[in-house]
């Protein structure tokens, strides 16, 4: 009851903490709800197959499970024979997928899922899709299509396949999407087997069928049922989900860090302002343990109330976040918000936990103060931060510097994440060391003002020196706001400068043939341009020295330097990771399930334009008939023509820059969202901490008023002090951001082979700085004016 009474009595002081918890929990609730709603769902075309048999999974270079290792036709045949003997199995269907897209009026019909739209006829049973008209396909030039395509049975249809355009006779229509060839024709286009589906007899339950199948296949395969079948996802859906997940993870991480950072800094300030009250309780006999439990209990109540309101606000904001992701095209189509318990419980636990941890850190020093010392007017303890805080600040500073160095040396796909991590660490270091830094930096800033001969600069300098702890708590949210705004906007600007520099250096004078309305280039499009780089990517599987199977990106090339069947050229990092040397025979398993020994013909310095694992294009095509080509680069002096439907010709440099502008607009949108979250959150904290700080100076203001200070003078002094603290915090936030940005620029220079200078966004820095200055100054002026009006 005492805790509730204290919270009710001090509600104005705890309002800022409650609001910070509310915003943080709302953000975490919204992001986790969308993450849960975006979980993969079972494809409609597999709805009638209760059990799927999948090959073992390979891992990528980061150790994460990725692609399934395909079975060869012989392995799949042996496995299907065993599965046909499983009790309760009415049918065993080998599911195949490959590129297929109708061509009408010389243009491919728009289809996001075209890369996996082709199947064998047997796969139609897995939905099941009913044959509405006609018959099943028997020969290689017959196809069954979706009735919605509007092509009747008996008509001729041009279908774009990996080899190029082919003429088919439509022999039937079904009530579902896809292009269904005969099973034999589908096996030629996708010989490797990644999925075997089981259809049950009427009296067999899915669980019994799955259990019997697991017994039949043993450890050589995985049997999935129910929601586990969602492991099979179309690539275009999975790509969008990946992009959306990255943004959601960034928002959640930013929300978690900012919540903890802001709540802890405000509780430190609020607890420090209760120094007299805690000292009085110590005088009356309260033990440090009792005071600590009281402070922790109050924080838990505030955290609980803030979490409850934040969960409701997060649920209301989830549809807005979903609409934003769909508008940016980084969410699975048809994403619907689903409310479940665990996002709410997790967000509430985070809100309460952050509040309690912040209060524990704030109360460690306050509750140990001796009774008489706590009641003294001397503020020497406030001026000198503890040794533990200084030690922690220096340790965190060293960790942040290490993260900044790692940013420069890391792989391209990890640089931005490491830069954000380094900034978080350095912001924390700046906040921990702020009591030591605010005073000296403030004195340097105000040194020129001493020549004016007025009392204002003297009072400003004295206020920063005597109230270093209070100033540091006020500066903390400004440091966070400026740091994140400068980092995110600067990262976008630095990458915007790096990409054109690298592309201009690499593509000058070339033309580029790209896919236009198709997921990649067909062999027909490549054959129309016999000269030029025509990469054919595939996924290959290798056995590492530790016994694990890994999947890598291999590249088929027709460049005479690499187009040597039976040989492979590796980059240095790939060779070191695989543990191979030049001249060594190394077995590689391809998409058709065949294992081919390759001679490592050479190990060259890493070059993203060449690839880490380069093979002959003919070898890749032989073992991966379903692979589609990358953009085709035509050298200067050779004519590039768009004679094949689904292709377009561009100037290579101009196209690369335009393509990057498209990506940059998405990046700008994502960065703007992250900046809005960080700056908006920190602005709330800035206003609240400034108000608390100004409210805690009532006695100082009374003394200055009694010595002749007018209301106008004292309000201006308070506003000037808040502005000075904000300016110092802005400088610290900027300094915390420069090392990660420098590391990012250095890494981009290495990747592009062109010098990339560190770039800042002056507009973003000026906007955030001005907003924080105006907010802090206005809040301090208003609170001071209201305090002076009271008797």
């Amino acid at each position: 009851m005492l805790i509730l009474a204290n919270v009710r009595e001090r509600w104005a002081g705890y309002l800022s903490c409650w609001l910070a918890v509310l915003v943080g929990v709302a953000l975490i609730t919204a992001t986790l709800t969308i993450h849960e709603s975006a979980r993969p769902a079972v494809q409609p075309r597999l709805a009638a197959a209760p059990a799927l048999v999948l090959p073992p999974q390979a891992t990528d270079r980061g150790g994460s499970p990725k692609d399934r290792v395909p079975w060869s036709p012989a392995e799949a045949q042996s496995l299907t024979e065993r599965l046909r003997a499983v009790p309760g199995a009415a049918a065993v269907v080998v599911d195949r997928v490959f590129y297929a897209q109708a061509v009408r009026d010389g243009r491919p019909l728009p289809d996001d899922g075209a890369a996996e739209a082709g199947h064998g006829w047997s796969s139609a049973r897995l939905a099941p899709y009913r044959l509405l008209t006609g018959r099943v396909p028997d020969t290689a030039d017959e196809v069954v299509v979706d009735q919605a395509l509007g092509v009747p049975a008996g008509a001729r249809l041009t279908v774009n396949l990996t080899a190029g355009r082919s003429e088919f006779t439509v022999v039937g229509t079904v009530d579902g999407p896809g292009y269904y060839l005969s099973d034999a024709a589908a096996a030629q286009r996708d010989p490797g087997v990644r999925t075997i589906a089981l259809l049950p007899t009427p009296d067999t339950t899915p669980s019994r069928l799955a259990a019997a199948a697991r017994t039949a296949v043993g450890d050589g395969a995985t049997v999935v049922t129910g929601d586990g079948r969602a492991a099979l996802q179309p690539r275009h859906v999975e790509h969008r989900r990946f992009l959306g997940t990255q943004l959601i993870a960034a928002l959640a991480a930013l929300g978690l860090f900012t919540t903890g950072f802001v709540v802890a800094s405000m509780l430190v300030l609020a607890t420090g302002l209760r120094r007299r009250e805690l000292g009085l309780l110590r005088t009356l006999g309260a033990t440090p343990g009792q005071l600590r439990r009281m402070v922790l209990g109050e924080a838990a109540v505030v955290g609980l109330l803030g979490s409850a309101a934040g969960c409701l606000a997060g649920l209301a904001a989830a549809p807005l976040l979903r609409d934003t992701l769909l508008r940016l095209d980084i969410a699975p189509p048809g994403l619907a918000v689903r409310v479940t318990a665990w996002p709410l419980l997790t967000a509430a636990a985070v809100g309460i936990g952050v509040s309690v941890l912040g209060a524990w850190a704030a109360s460690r020093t306050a509750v140990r103060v001796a009774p008489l010392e706590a009641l003294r007017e001397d503020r020497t303890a406030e001026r000198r931060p503890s040794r533990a805080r200084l030690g922690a600040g220096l340790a965190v500073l060293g960790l942040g510097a290490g993260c900044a160095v790692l940013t420069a040396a890391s792989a391209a796909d990890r640089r931005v994440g490491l830069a954000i991590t380094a900034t978080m660490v350095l912001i924390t270091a700046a906040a921990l060391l702020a009591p030591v830094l605010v005073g000296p930096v403030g004195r340097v800033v105000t040194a020129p003002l001493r020549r004016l001969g007025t009392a204002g600069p003297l009072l400003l300098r004295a206020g920063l020196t005597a109230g270093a702890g209070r100033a540091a708590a006020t500066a903390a949210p400004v440091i966070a706001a400026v740091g994140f705004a400068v980092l995110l906007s600067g990262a976008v600007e630095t990458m915007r400068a790096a990409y054109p520099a690298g592309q201009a250096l690499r593509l000058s004078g070339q033309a580029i043939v790209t896919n236009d309305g198709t997921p990649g280039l067909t062999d027909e499009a490549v054959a129309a341009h016999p000269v030029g780089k025509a990469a054919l990517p595939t996924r290959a599987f290798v056995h590492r020295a530790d016994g694990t199977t890994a999947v890598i990106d291999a590249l088929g090339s027709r460049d005479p330097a690499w187009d040597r069947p039976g040989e492979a050229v590796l980059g240095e990092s790939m060779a070191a990771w695989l543990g191979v040397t030049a001249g060594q025979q190394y077995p590689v398993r391809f998409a058709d399930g065949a294992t081919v020994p390759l001679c490592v013909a050479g190990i060259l310095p890493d070059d993203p334009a060449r690839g880490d694992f380069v093979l002959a294009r003919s070898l890749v095509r032989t073992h991966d008939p379903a692979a589609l080509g990358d953009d085709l680069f035509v050298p200067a002096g050779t004519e590039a023509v768009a004679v094949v439907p689904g292709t377009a010709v561009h100037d290579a440099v101009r196209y690369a820059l335009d393509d990057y502008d498209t990506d940059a607009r998405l990046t700008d949108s994502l960065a703007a969202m992250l900046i809005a979250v960080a700056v908006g959150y920190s602005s709330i904290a800035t206003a609240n901490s400034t108000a608390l700080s100004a409210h805690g100076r009532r006695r100082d203001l009374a003394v200055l008023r009694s010595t002749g200070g007018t209301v106008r003078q004292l309000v201006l002094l308070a506003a000037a002090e808040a502005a000075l603290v904000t300016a110092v915090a802005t400088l610290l936030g900027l300094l915390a951001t420069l090392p990660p940005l420098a590391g990012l620029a250095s890494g981009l220079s290495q990747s592009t082979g062109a010098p990339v200078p560190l770039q800042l966004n002056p507009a973003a820095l000026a906007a955030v700085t001005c907003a924080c200055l105006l907010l802090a100054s206005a809040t301090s002026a208003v609170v001071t004016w209201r305090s002076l009006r009271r008797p």
Side-chain angles (χ1 to χ4, degrees), residues 17-338:
C17 182
W18 174 83
L19 187 59
V21 173
L22 185 154
V23 175
V25 170
L27 179 61
I28 295 172
T29 299
T31 53
L32 292 182
T33 298
I34 294 298
H35 176 73
E36 177 68 16
S37 302
R39 283 185 178 277
V42 179
Q43 297 183 64
R45 71 178 195 86
L46 301 174
L52 302 176
V53 182
L54 308 177
Q57 255 182 314
T59 58
D60 62 7
R61 294 182 68 171
S64 302
K66 288 295 181 182
D67 300 33
R68 300 277 175 179
V69 184
W71 290 306
S72 67
E75 292 169 336
Q77 179 64 28
S78 173
L79 193 59
T80 54
E81 290 176 358
R82 278 185 284 161
L83 290 171
R84 287 192 180 100
V86 168
V92 178
V93 177
V94 175
D95 183 47
R96 303 182 190 275
V97 295
F98 51 89
Y99 167 61
Q101 189 173 13
V103 178
R104 181 177 293 167
D105 299 327
R107 293 284 304 168
L109 295 182
D111 184 1
D112 288 340
E116 299 177 349
H119 309 281
W121 170 249
S122 295
S123 295
R125 303 176 61 185
L126 307 181
Y129 294 137
R130 296 179 297 114
L131 187 65
L132 300 178
T133 62
R135 59 176 176 82
V136 303
D138 291 326
T139 63
D141 62 346
E142 295 179 342
V143 65
V144 172
V145 299
D146 184 4
Q147 188 182 44
L149 199 61
V151 182
R156 298 288 288 177
L157 178 67
T158 301
V159 179
N160 214 23
L161 301 172
T162 302
R165 289 169 291 176
S166 300
E167 291 293 323
F168 286 86
T169 299
V170 177
V171 296
T173 59
V174 292
D175 57 352
Y179 301 84
Y180 298 89
L181 310 185
S182 66
D183 288 337
Q188 292 177 351
R189 288 167 172 78
D190 184 29
V193 177
R194 296 177 179 83
T195 308
I196 300 176
L198 298 179
L199 299 178
T201 57
D203 58 343
T204 302
T205 62
S207 58
R208 286 177 53 193
L209 180 63
R214 291 188 182 99
T215 302
V217 301
D219 296 333
T222 301
V223 180
V224 295
T225 60
D227 291 340
R229 297 172 297 163
L232 297 180
Q233 290 291 305
R235 276 175 285 181
H236 73 285
V237 173
E238 197 61 36
H239 178 65
R240 292 178 183 175
R241 180 178 291 108
F242 171 77
L243 293 177
T245 300
Q246 298 301 302
L247 175 61
I248 289 172
L251 286 172
L254 194 60
L256 179 60
F257 173 80
T258 311
T259 301
F261 184 85
V262 169
V263 169
S265 64
M266 285 193 292
L267 285 174
V268 166
L269 179 59
T271 305
L273 294 175
R274 297 176 63 182
R275 197 161 160 270
R276 284 177 171 274
E277 175 195 345
L278 296 177
L280 179 60
L281 293 175
R282 290 280 284 122
T283 303
L284 296 176
T287 65
Q290 289 175 320
L291 295 181
R292 183 177 293 110
R293 286 191 294 273
M294 180 187 73
V295 173
L296 295 181
E298 294 173 7
V301 171
V302 174
L304 177 61
L305 296 175
S307 297
C311 287
L312 296 176
L315 291 179
L320 301 177
L321 179 58
R322 177 210 51 201
D323 294 342
T324 300
L325 297 179
L326 290 173
R327 186 170 60 255
L328 294 174
D329 200 23
I330 55 173
L335 175 64
V337 176
R338 293 180 297 178

Side-chain angles (χ1 to χ4, degrees), residues 496 499-500 654-666 668:
R496 194 190 300 275
Y499 190 83
R654 184 69 264 158
Y655 175 79
L657 298 181
D658 290 343
D659 187 54
Y660 178 75
D661 285 341
T662 302
D663 293 339
R665 284 193 291 271
L666 174 61
D668 288 342

Side-chain angles (χ1 to χ4, degrees), residues 479-734:
I479 294 173
V482 172
F484 283 120
V486 171
L487 171 75
L488 295 171
S489 62
V492 171
E493 292 299 320
T494 301
M495 290 188 289
R496 194 190 300 275
Y499 190 83
Q503 294 300 84
L505 195 66
R506 188 165 60 91
L507 302 177
S508 179
Q510 299 186 53
I512 184 171
V513 180
T514 66
N515 53 297
D516 183 17
T518 64
L521 295 182
T522 64
D523 289 349
E524 181 186 7
V526 174
H529 299 86
V531 178
K533 178 184 175 183
L536 184 62
T538 187
R539 299 284 273 176
F541 303 86
V542 294
H543 288 286
R544 299 188 62 208
D546 59 4
T548 59
T549 300
V551 60
I552 60 173
D553 289 311
L555 207 63
S557 174
R558 67 179 184 183
D559 188 317
W562 325 123
D563 191 11
R564 300 172 183 171
E567 295 184 357
V569 174
L570 279 63
E572 291 177 345
S573 61
M574 176 65 74
W577 183 68
L578 295 178
V580 300
T581 57
Q584 179 180 342
Q585 290 286 326
Y586 193 70
V588 176
R589 189 181 183 101
F590 288 95
D592 62 349
T595 299
V596 180
L598 298 176
C599 175
V600 180
I603 297 176
L604 303 178
D606 291 342
D607 181 4
R610 183 195 65 240
D612 290 332
F613 201 104
V614 185
L615 312 168
R617 180 186 173 91
S618 58
L619 181 66
V620 173
R621 175 54 74 211
T622 298
H623 293 285
D624 192 357
L628 289 166
D630 277 344
D631 295 338
L632 194 154
F633 293 90
V634 180
T638 303
E639 184 180 3
V641 292
V643 296
V644 178
T647 63
V649 177
H650 314 269
D651 174 76
V653 175
R654 184 69 264 158
Y655 175 79
L657 298 181
D658 290 343
D659 187 54
Y660 178 75
D661 285 341
T662 302
D663 293 339
R665 284 193 291 271
L666 174 61
T667 305
D668 288 342
S669 299
L670 303 184
M673 291 178 63
L674 295 175
I675 291 173
V677 169
V679 175
Y681 202 168
S682 299
S683 297
I684 295 173
T686 299
N688 288 319
S689 59
T690 303
L692 278 175
S693 178
H695 186 69
R697 297 189 61 197
R698 295 190 310 275
R699 293 181 180 273
D700 297 341
L701 295 173
V703 172
L704 292 173
R705 184 71 184 276
S706 66
T707 59
T710 65
V711 172
R712 177 177 175 276
Q713 289 174 326
L714 297 180
V715 168
L716 290 176
L717 176 64
E721 183 174 324
L724 178 59
V725 172
T726 303
V728 173
T730 299
L731 179 60
L732 294 178
L734 181 61

